[in-house]
């Protein structure tokens, strides 16, 4: 397990419409000892974020029904979720995309492709701050 002994174990919601990407991210997080909840579109992500006591949200940007920017903005308006760390992961790799994601309330913005270590470092960093 990467980082398991020194990382805070958390319940993490992963919203990703690509089954392959979703399985990859979930596998990385589970191997590190986290509990993972999956959502395949923006609306489902919002519903699950509100229904579950999540410690963190990992959001793809390009998703059906509601994109990650919209979900992030809406979660930040919710008093129960406004302080939950949100890590956006996206193939949108322009600096303007990153800046827009952070402006919507993302705690961090990671571009695809990323390594498992990139993801775990970001997760660990933001769980410690929580």
């Amino acid at each position: 397990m990467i980082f398991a002994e020194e990382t805070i174990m958390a319940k993490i919601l992963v919203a990703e419409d690509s089954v392959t990407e979703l399985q990859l991210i979930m596998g990385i997080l589970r191997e590190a000892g986290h509990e993972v909840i999956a959502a395949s579109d923006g609306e489902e992500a919002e519903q699950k974020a509100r229904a579950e006591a999540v410690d963190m949200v990992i959001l793809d940007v390009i998703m059906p029904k509601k994109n990650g920017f919209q979900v992030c903005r809406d979660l930040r308006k919710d008093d129960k979720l406004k302080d939950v760390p949100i890590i956006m992961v996206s193939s949108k790799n322009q600096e303007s995309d990153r800046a827009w994601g952070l402006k919507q309330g993302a705690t961090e913005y990671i571009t695809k492709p990323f390594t498992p270590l990139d993801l775990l470092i970001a997760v660990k960093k933001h769980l410690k701050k929580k």
Side-chain angles (χ1 to χ4, degrees), residues 40-102:
S40 58
D41 64 56
E43 286 181 2
E44 183 183 11
E46 257 187 70
Q47 289 168 347
K48 287 188 174 182
R50 289 190 168 96
E52 305 271 349
V54 295
D55 299 304
M56 176 175 282
V57 177
I58 297 178
L59 272 180
D60 183 22
V61 171
I62 303 168
M63 290 187 293
K65 298 185 182 176
K66 245 182 168 177
N67 69 45
F69 295 135
Q70 294 168 308
V71 174
C72 184
R73 197 168 43 241
D74 289 346
L75 294 180
R76 289 295 178 232
K77 292 176 188 170
D78 188 315
D79 283 341
K80 291 184 203 142
L81 298 166
K82 67 182 183 197
D83 297 323
V84 171
I86 297 174
I87 298 175
M88 296 191 110
V89 291
S90 181
S91 54
K92 294 175 71 65
N93 60 5
Q94 299 296 310
E95 185 54 38
S96 58
D97 299 317
R98 183 181 179 286
W100 186 245
L102 296 174

Side-chain angles (χ1 to χ4, degrees), residues 100-120:
W100 186 245
L102 296 174
K103 186 175 174 80
Q104 302 315 301
T107 315
E108 184 144 343
Y109 191 99
I110 299 173
T111 56
K112 297 176 186 176
F114 54 84
T115 68
L117 190 58
D118 293 335
L119 181 63
L120 291 173

